[in-house]
Amino acid sequence: MPVEKFEKLVSSCVPLAIDNVDTDQITPARFLKATTREGFGAKLFCDWRYDPAGKPRPEFVLNDPTYKGAILVAGKNFGSGSSREHAAWALVDYGFKVVVSSFFADIFKSNALNNGLLPVQVSEEFVSQLFETIEKNPEAKVKVDLENQTITNLETGSSEEFEIGAYKKNCMLNGYDDIDYLLSKSKEIEQFEKEKV
Amino acid sequence: MAGKTIIDKIWDKHIVESIDDSTGVFYIDRHFIHEVTSPQAFAGIKKRGIKVARPEKTVATADHNIPTQNQHLTIHDELSRLQVNTLSRNCEENGIELYGLNHPYNGIVHVIGPELGITQPGMTIVCGDSHTSTHGAFGTVAFGIGTSEVEMVLASQCLILSRPKKMRINIDGTLGKGVNSKDIVLYVISQISAGGATGYFVEFAGSAIRSLSMEARMTICNMSIEMGARGGLIAPDETTFNYIKGREMAPKGEEWEKKLTYWRSLPSDPDAVFDRELHFKAEDIEPMITYGTNPGMGVGITGKIPALDELNPSDHKSFLKSMEYMGYQPGEPLLGKKVDYIFVGSCTNGRIEDLRAFSAFIKGKKKADNITAWIVPGSKQVEAQAKKEGLIKILEDAGFEMRQPGCSACLAMNEDKIPTGKYAVSTSNRNFEGRQGPGARTMLASPITAAAIAITGEITDPRIFLEEPELVS
Ligand code: SF4
């Protein structure tokens, strides 16, 4: 799947101040019966978002019109658990382009990057300050600059660098995907198999 | 120069080409697929007009989304049927070996790989399932991947990866009565938290690990993902070689000898350096149980749920949310709490040794009336073996019901769902909110602890039943 290019983003944020948000919460297993990638946004955080009768739970942040934006700010250890890429598809389909957390589960991180969703890992202090800022002003903007690998809380001016591997950064900036790269290496892979497998 | 870890030895052998200092094209020896995370990957390569590059290196099974009753009939649920049929069609079109429903080798992907001898030391193994780490018990670099990566492996037999950091977790000493490998891993996770090994590949070592059987080692590596690790492994030794020898797809004759030489070279060098090293004592481990909504929320069965003042104030909010979901209070003891369901199964504890331990414990006793129990073997071969050994008879006599193999209530994609608000003691690996069905409350434990609870109907220390020496596990 070719991914959308990502350079810079300025947006307000949706705060989800819960730690250890696992992929079973992001996309519950009963929605994994699909054989296509489309439409998972409607199921995002389904059991927190809707009651068993399908009515929106007003206390859940996605149902609160105060909070909007393409940046999800979450508690630590976001995306733990199941490897289901459906979790990344759901976040992207819903409209998120960035997730900010003080740390991400490994498989989720690769799944996000493979779908053009940027995981921005920052210090716990930066995240808790950001939660405070959003609480004071839900419209507060945050700027994410991939080229310079920085995230800035535009309300307070505080800024932090984040890490991303050089290869993945280049893919995100240019909208490249790994499969094209791997397919271009078929000769080298064949050679490797002849010599080493 | 310092020696090499087993992780680096395997990693280095599989680098096709470096892209930059940390990233490279990485070769995959074995790829397992199942019906749930593969359809979009096959659709992807089809769209590109290509076929699976090395079909003989991929093995397929249907496990996540299948019924555990009446498997000989057409799958009732339309979407599940479509997914299982899509897998069959994709395997057929691409020449991939499929152990589908009703095949004698069908079963949970991480149970069948080892039992068929497909999983062998030194391999790189991936699957679109986070518990692929199970195969690490054989000294493999095995880890879960997402569907885009499944597509990459189908297209090229390779992935683009960065080298992980390395951690060694040493468990030395002798396990107490009634304590087994599930307790070891739940204990380690409770000590380092559900994210404690994120970013690392873990080697489990130490005398307590060395003394475990292959199946017990699989339980530990299986749950390495539950401490956040990319994967977990155990160096191969005679126990490993004896387990593999003679299995259906194990190397034979001269090939076996050649492989054995390679396998013996794999263990970490004595002077190998890990980025992080942890030590635990086997004697400190009790039978474990979880009380919350992530696998790090576990305690010794005679212990208490932490009180608020024992926790970091920044953790209070998530902790209280979890307590509300579970219907528990901070600081409460767990012994004596009522349980409604028992689930014995999954790629963590659905193998023959687990069924043996559970039935040895149950033999001659009766299931408590308030308990509904589902016992789901990990594979057709486990089911057949349990029948052969008379375990099924023991279980049925004690009032238990056997189901057919599959993932079942581990992730509750099929009908096997724990009802809202009910308490389930499960031998699986995840106690997340809704994991075993919307509103289900899961407590993770070993098969022996689950057996004790199935008999009394409430949270019970299995050691009170373990006076007879033959039950010591
Ligand atoms: S048994 Fe559970 S953890 Fe194991 S593969 Fe199936 S769903 Fe995943």
Side-chain angles (χ1 to χ4, degrees):
Chain A
M1 278 263 298
V3 294
E4 226 178 275
K5 286 186 192 178
F6 187 110
E7 284 169 8
K8 277 193 187 74
L9 174 74
V10 176
S11 169
S12 54
C13 305
V14 177
L16 185 66
I18 301 169
D19 296 339
N20 300 309
V21 174
D22 57 76
T23 54
D24 273 84
Q25 306 320 317
I26 304 174
T27 317
R30 58 187 188 280
F31 303 119
L32 307 186
K33 295 184 179 187
T35 47
T36 61
R37 290 171 180 247
E38 287 77 37
F40 283 98
K43 308 284 183 268
L44 180 65
F45 295 118
C46 193
D47 293 339
W48 287 345
R49 209 164 136 197
Y50 304 105
D51 69 12
K55 243 182 61 221
R57 299 181 195 264
E59 72 280 10
F60 187 63
V61 67
L62 293 193
N63 296 323
D64 185 343
T66 324
Y67 302 104
K68 287 188 212 66
I71 302 176
L72 180 70
V73 185
K76 63 176 179 247
N77 197 20
F78 186 83
S80 57
S82 160
S83 63
R84 61 188 69 162
E85 195 164 315
H86 312 69
W89 300 338
L91 288 160
V92 172
D93 189 43
Y94 185 84
F96 288 115
K97 294 193 159 33
V98 170
V99 187
V100 180
S101 173
S102 60
F103 78 93
F104 292 93
D106 293 325
I107 308 181
F108 175 80
K109 213 189 250 180
S110 344
N111 286 343
L113 287 166
N114 284 330
N115 287 279
L117 175 68
L118 185 66
V120 173
Q121 187 162 323
V122 286
S123 66
E124 276 191 48
E125 297 76 64
F126 189 89
V127 176
S128 59
Q129 260 191 27
L130 194 49
F131 280 133
E132 274 170 36
T133 304
I134 302 165
E135 202 178 316
K136 278 194 209 126
N137 174 15
E139 282 166 26
K141 297 267 192 299
V142 164
K143 180 173 163 188
V144 178
D145 179 341
L146 178 57
E147 180 62 52
N148 293 306
Q149 295 177 222
T150 54
I151 175 167
T152 312
N153 178 338
L154 294 177
E155 198 82 348
T156 61
S158 78
S159 186
E160 208 170 284
E161 282 185 16
F162 61 88
E163 273 188 42
I164 179 169
Y167 168 80
K168 267 296 163 197
K169 177 176 169 180
N170 192 35
C171 288
M172 285 284 281
L173 285 170
N174 296 293
Y176 296 155
D177 83 6
D178 287 5
I179 299 194
D180 292 329
Y181 188 91
L182 288 168
L183 290 173
S184 76
K185 292 287 165 191
S186 59
K187 283 237 159 56
E188 287 81 352
I189 296 170
E190 249 170 62
Q191 192 58 31
F192 174 89
E193 284 178 319
K194 261 190 218 131
E195 288 166 12
K196 301 213 176 136
V197 179
Chain B
M1 212 175 90
K4 270 184 162 183
T5 68
I6 175 170
I7 301 157
D8 289 314
K9 288 184 189 182
I10 300 171
W11 198 275
D12 290 344
K13 245 184 116 72
H14 290 83
I15 294 292
V16 176
E17 191 181 85
S18 292
I19 297 176
D20 57 41
D21 282 356
S22 63
T23 316
V25 176
F26 187 81
Y27 192 80
I28 303 302
D29 293 319
R30 278 293 171 280
H31 183 204
F32 291 103
I33 58 170
H34 60 85
E35 75 279 21
V36 174
T37 57
S38 69
Q40 295 88 349
F42 279 104
I45 60 165
K46 203 168 196 176
K47 211 164 143 200
R48 286 171 199 266
I50 56 177
K51 288 239 167 191
V52 174
R54 307 284 182 273
E56 71 285 1
K57 290 182 186 280
T58 294
V59 175
T61 183
D63 55 0
H64 281 64
N65 190 9
I66 54 168
T68 53
Q69 287 172 307
N70 294 318
Q71 289 184 343
H72 61 291
L73 302 179
T74 313
I75 300 177
H76 189 69
D77 181 279
E78 198 184 325
L79 288 174
S80 304
R81 192 170 64 236
L82 175 66
Q83 217 172 37
V84 171
N85 291 344
T86 304
L87 179 70
S88 305
R89 202 193 54 230
N90 284 330
C91 287
E92 203 172 302
E93 283 176 9
N94 288 281
I96 291 170
E97 182 85 31
L98 166 68
Y99 303 129
L101 209 52
N102 296 313
H103 189 288
Y105 293 166
N106 176 255
I108 304 173
V109 59
H110 312 307
V111 175
I112 67 169
E115 93 188 343
L116 289 168
I118 300 173
T119 303
Q120 297 165 19
M123 282 182 165
T124 52
I125 299 179
V126 294
C127 172
D129 184 280
S130 57
H131 292 96
T132 308
S133 57
T134 314
H135 305 264
F138 292 80
T140 68
V141 165
F143 52 92
I145 55 176
T147 297
S148 295
E149 292 169 313
V150 172
E151 188 177 336
M152 291 170 208
V153 180
L154 291 176
S156 69
Q157 203 57 33
C158 287
L159 286 172
I160 297 174
L161 295 176
S162 323
R163 190 183 290 266
K165 288 185 286 182
K166 286 141 290 183
M167 184 189 293
R168 181 157 58 191
I169 299 181
N170 302 278
I171 298 128
D172 284 295
T174 311
L175 290 173
K177 201 160 71 165
V179 180
N180 56 44
S181 67
K182 180 65 161 287
D183 302 308
I184 298 181
V185 71
L186 284 174
Y187 175 79
V188 172
I189 303 168
S190 76
Q191 298 296 305
I192 70 171
S193 92
T198 301
Y200 291 90
F201 230 95
V202 175
E203 178 182 355
F204 296 96
S207 60
I209 300 288
R210 294 257 73 84
S211 69
L212 297 174
S213 70
M214 280 321 290
E215 298 202 352
R217 292 179 188 185
M218 284 187 241
T219 303
I220 295 196
C221 292
N222 172 278
M223 287 193 73
S224 47
I225 180 75
E226 257 49 79
M227 52 188 91
R230 196 79 177 84
L233 58 70
I234 293 171
D237 58 11
E238 295 309 313
T239 307
T240 322
F241 310 144
N242 290 336
Y243 178 96
I244 300 171
K245 197 164 190 175
R247 291 194 181 257
E248 179 90 19
M249 285 160 219
K252 312 255 150 55
E254 222 173 278
E255 183 63 16
W256 171 261
E257 294 304 324
K258 226 172 87 191
K259 282 275 161 67
L260 210 51
T261 312
Y262 168 51
W263 296 348
R264 289 193 201 281
S265 74
L266 289 169
S268 296
D269 296 331
D271 55 343
V273 179
F274 287 78
D275 299 290
R276 217 178 144 199
E277 190 132 20
L278 301 174
H279 295 267
F280 297 101
K281 284 204 217 73
E283 290 77 7
D284 291 345
I285 308 175
E286 264 202 288
M288 296 287 295
I289 191 151
T290 65
Y291 55 82
T293 54
N294 75 60
M297 300 173 86
V299 281
I301 195 142
T302 59
K304 287 182 179 160
I305 297 173
L308 274 186
D309 58 11
E310 295 169 59
L311 299 168
N312 201 321
S314 66
D315 293 335
H316 284 184
K317 193 174 168 196
S318 298
F319 180 77
L320 288 172
K321 182 175 184 299
S322 174
M323 287 298 100
E324 196 192 325
Y325 182 85
M326 292 300 290
Y328 287 157
Q329 296 297 324
E332 281 189 299
L334 286 152
L335 286 177
K337 287 200 172 294
K338 207 179 129 257
V339 172
D340 309 294
Y341 282 76
I342 297 282
F343 172 62
V344 179
S346 88
C347 58
T348 313
N349 285 123
R351 284 174 289 267
I352 190 67
E353 279 183 13
D354 302 310
L355 295 190
R356 281 184 196 136
F358 187 83
S359 19
F361 202 103
I362 294 292
K363 197 171 180 180
K365 304 187 184 73
K366 283 270 181 267
K367 178 183 79 60
D369 289 340
N370 62 305
I371 294 282
T372 305
W374 297 332
I375 307 198
V376 185
S379 72
K380 284 274 184 218
Q381 293 206 71
V382 170
E383 184 185 44
Q385 185 66 22
K387 201 172 276 171
K388 205 166 115 193
E389 293 180 17
L391 307 184
I392 294 182
K393 171 98 179 43
I394 295 176
L395 293 172
E396 284 174 355
D397 287 350
F400 292 92
E401 183 199 343
M402 287 293 288
R403 299 233 167 161
Q404 290 171 298
C407 294
S408 179
C410 173
L411 91 164
M413 265 191 88
N414 66 358
E415 298 74 31
D416 305 347
K417 291 181 176 55
I418 309 295
T420 304
K422 295 289 182 196
Y423 290 95
V425 168
S426 177
T427 68
S428 60
N429 44 55
R430 286 185 175 143
N431 51 354
F432 299 150
E433 284 185 31
R435 171 77 180 185
Q436 297 198 285
R441 292 159 161 169
T442 300
M443 289 171 280
L444 305 172
S446 78
I448 292 179
T449 302
I453 295 171
I455 293 163
T456 62
E458 56 183 43
I459 297 184
T460 307
D461 186 343
R463 290 170 296 190
I464 62 167
F465 288 100
L466 289 178
E467 296 315 316
E468 306 105 291
E470 73 270 19
L471 284 185
V472 175
S473 157

